[in-house]
């Protein structure tokens, strides 16, 4: 059989080339982005009746539901290539204050409408294209009373599968790796339908944190001393509790969560490092923790079905030894960042960040800078600047 194959390849060498081309084309098709594209968004109406329209390149299935605390309307779709002009992200009107979009799960693209009062979805329909026009998803929202909203509220669809239970904590001081490499988990904050904060020029925090995390991973792995795991390596939403699970499942010996803040005072700049504490070090740290801990809620995640042991991780304080190790690394990190002259005043802080609450993994949260500061936003968008910043994290 082997000689026959050689003979065929000798007579028709192009068959092997053609087979190889077929494999390449198949892999390219498998890796291609979604065919469904969103091309435009329109908002119209008044506080009593508001219409939200999305133009698509083709017909699509969808699911719509409402959420409360705060009030939102959620549209779940199959994977979408978002080609809407960036200025349209600021579209608002009627009851809609704004909206967010992005991957919620690998197979689900989510649009979240922030509404300023209780609403009902009067109708949700798709219209077929005519005369070469676009297909449209049309949502009509009407204002209702809080009592009526509460009476009819059903919440998000229940997941078809139970979330995986969190494994028991591994024995402290052990590592499954035989090559001696230290295990570091890097967490790019936000992602997918949760963009995080945004900069003066429209830069999304989720994009900055992912780019910085990939650079830090590159630097650490180049040293050949570390095995690095990213909680996410693409623009996808990941609940806070799953970020913890990634770290614990990897037997991480250090967890670094990367963020970039935005505040009303445009002149504020510099990096700061946070560790876990049941009592915030100051009011700003408390406010930041509150904002970051709402990431799951903002994205419309259904938190109810997770088992009690997961909830316990988000409530219990880190073990004393873990907490002390976190503080040690935070001190080293502040010292290295200070060499770059990039520190915010009172640069080492603490608060009750949910993402830092794995009881057996030393964890810190690094706010790399402020996207609300024009200069710092430009710097954080620069690969060269991010490389310099991540070099400080690596040295620490």
């Amino acid at each position: 059989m082997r000689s026959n194959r050689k003979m065929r390849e000798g007579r028709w060498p192009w068959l092997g080339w053609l087979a190889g081309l077929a494999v390449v084309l198949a892999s390219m098709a498998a890796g291609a982005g979604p065919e469904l594209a969103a091309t435009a968004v329109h908002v119209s109406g008044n506080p009593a009746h508001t219409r939200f329209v999305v133009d698509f390149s083709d017909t699509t299935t969808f699911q719509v539901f409402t959420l409360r605390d705060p009030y939102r309307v959620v549209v779940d779709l199959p994977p979408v290539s978002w080609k809407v002009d960036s200025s349209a992200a600021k579209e608002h009107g009627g009851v809609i204050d704004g909206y967010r979009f992005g991957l919620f799960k690998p197979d689900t693209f989510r649009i979240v409408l922030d509404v300023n009062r209780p609403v009902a979805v009067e109708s949700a329909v798709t219209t077929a294209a005519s005369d070469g026009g676009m297909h449209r998803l049309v949502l009509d929202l009407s204002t209702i009373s809080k009592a009526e909203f509460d009476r009819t509220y059903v919440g998000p669809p229940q997941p078809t599968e139970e979330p995986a239970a969190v494994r028991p904590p591994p024995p402290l001081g052990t590592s499954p790796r035989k090559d001696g490499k230290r295990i570091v988990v890097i967490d790019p904050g936000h992602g997918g339908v949760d963009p995080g904060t945004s900069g003066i020029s429209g830069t999304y925090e989720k994009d900055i944190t992912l780019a910085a995390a990939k650079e830090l991973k590159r630097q650490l792995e180049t040293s050949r001393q570390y095995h690095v795991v990213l909680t996410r390596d693409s623009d996808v939403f990941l609940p806070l509790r799953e970020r913890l699970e990634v770290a614990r499942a990897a037997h991480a010996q250090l967890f670094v969560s990367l963020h970039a803040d935005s505040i009303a005072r445009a002149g504020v700049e510099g990096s700061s490092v946070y560790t876990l504490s049941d009592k915030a070090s100051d009011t700003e740290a408390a406010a930041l923790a509150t904002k970051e801990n709402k990431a799951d809620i903002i994205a419309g995640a259904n938190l109810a079905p997770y088992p009690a042991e997961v909830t316990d991780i988000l409530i219990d304080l880190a073990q004393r030894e873990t907490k002390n190790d976190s503080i040690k690394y935070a001190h080293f990190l502040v010292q290295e960042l200070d060499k770059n002259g990039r520190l915010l005043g009172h640069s080492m802080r603490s608060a009750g960040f949910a993402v830092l609450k794995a009881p057996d993994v030393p964890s810190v949260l690094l706010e790399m800078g402020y996207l609300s500061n024009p200069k710092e936003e430009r710097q954080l968008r620069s690969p060269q600047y991010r490389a310099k910043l991540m070099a400080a994290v690596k040295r620490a």
Side-chain angles (χ1 to χ4, degrees):
M1 187 177 293
R2 190 173 300 168
S3 60
N4 288 341
R5 184 181 65 189
K6 286 182 179 179
M7 183 174 68
R8 288 196 302 270
E9 289 176 353
R11 280 188 193 172
W12 302 295
W14 52 270
L15 283 176
W17 175 86
L18 190 59
L21 178 61
V23 171
V24 171
L25 291 175
S27 65
M28 288 175 65
E35 293 182 1
L36 181 66
T39 58
V41 169
H42 315 276
V43 179
S44 61
N46 55 57
H49 298 279
T50 304
R51 172 167 286 187
F52 182 82
V53 179
V54 185
D55 291 347
F56 288 104
S57 60
D58 203 345
T59 56
T60 181
T61 58
F62 66 94
Q63 189 170 34
V64 181
F65 57 92
T66 56
L67 293 173
R68 58 186 174 189
D69 302 323
Y71 294 114
R72 285 151 292 156
V73 177
V74 176
V75 184
D76 280 346
L77 300 148
V80 171
S81 176
W82 193 262
K83 297 182 179 179
V84 179
D85 187 273
S86 59
S87 62
K90 299 178 181 178
E91 277 283 340
H92 65 280
V95 295
I96 299 175
D97 287 338
Y99 69 93
R100 295 177 304 283
F101 56 88
L103 276 181
F104 181 67
K105 295 184 295 185
D107 61 349
T108 304
F109 188 92
R110 175 165 287 187
I111 303 173
V112 181
L113 309 182
D114 297 313
V115 294
N116 51 38
R117 63 198 69 188
V119 297
V121 181
E122 279 188 351
S123 67
V125 298
T126 54
T127 61
S130 60
D131 300 328
M134 303 301 291
H135 298 263
R136 286 189 157 184
L137 169 64
V138 181
L139 301 183
D140 285 317
L141 311 177
S142 61
T143 300
I144 59 176
S145 68
K146 182 180 183 302
E148 186 178 358
F149 184 92
D150 291 342
R151 185 171 61 253
T152 59
Y153 180 73
V154 295
Q158 295 299 312
T160 56
E161 297 180 0
E162 286 293 318
V166 177
R167 65 171 180 82
L172 291 176
T174 65
S175 170
R177 296 195 65 84
K178 297 179 180 180
D179 56 11
K181 291 183 179 180
R182 297 286 185 170
I183 302 171
V184 178
V185 170
I186 306 167
D187 173 46
H190 307 281
V193 70
D194 170 27
T197 193
S198 59
I200 296 295
S201 67
T203 305
Y204 286 132
E205 180 181 4
K206 66 177 182 178
D207 298 328
I208 296 297
T209 60
L210 181 59
K214 289 181 175 180
E215 171 60 23
L216 179 55
K217 182 177 189 291
R218 184 193 68 78
Q219 292 192 27
L220 289 175
E221 290 184 337
T222 298
S223 73
R224 299 185 179 181
Q225 298 180 57
Y226 305 97
H227 173 70
V228 181
V229 176
L230 299 183
T231 57
R232 66 178 182 95
D233 59 6
S234 61
D235 184 19
V236 64
F237 171 75
L238 191 67
L240 297 176
R241 60 178 47 76
E242 290 188 19
R243 297 170 191 263
L244 299 180
E245 291 176 28
V246 169
R248 302 186 73 226
H251 293 255
Q253 292 157 293
L254 180 65
F255 176 89
V256 181
S257 188
L258 300 176
H259 291 259
D261 202 3
S262 182
I263 60 174
R265 292 171 290 165
V268 177
E269 63 179 328
S271 304
S272 52
V273 182
Y274 292 82
T275 55
L276 178 67
S277 173
D278 57 340
K279 185 176 181 180
S281 58
D282 53 74
T283 56
E284 288 185 3
L288 181 63
T290 299
K291 181 173 71 174
E292 295 294 352
N293 292 348
K294 286 182 178 178
D296 290 356
I297 296 174
I298 292 300
N302 183 19
L303 308 183
Y306 281 87
E309 57 265 36
V310 179
T311 305
D312 290 342
I313 292 176
L314 299 180
I315 295 173
D316 292 342
L317 291 176
Q319 296 171 350
R320 183 178 298 274
E321 183 175 355
T322 302
K323 187 176 179 181
N324 290 341
D325 286 343
S326 301
I327 293 172
K328 283 180 185 177
Y329 177 74
H331 276 296
F332 292 141
L333 182 52
V334 166
Q335 290 172 6
E336 293 301 331
L337 291 169
D338 193 31
K339 294 177 182 178
N340 292 346
R342 300 299 311 137
L343 279 179
L344 181 69
H346 184 34
S347 54
M348 187 165 168
R349 305 181 179 192
S350 60
F353 291 91
V355 77
L356 301 183
K357 290 188 177 180
D360 50 352
V361 181
S363 306
V364 301
L365 185 148
L366 169 61
E367 288 286 351
M368 298 179 287
Y370 287 87
L371 294 175
S372 47
N373 181 292
K375 171 188 170 185
E376 202 151 53
E377 182 193 25
R378 287 193 302 272
Q379 290 175 326
L380 288 170
R381 292 176 63 176
S382 162
Q384 293 79 13
Y385 178 81
R386 289 195 301 267
K388 182 179 178 182
L389 194 61
M390 293 304 100
V393 182
K394 175 191 171 185
R395 292 194 304 270

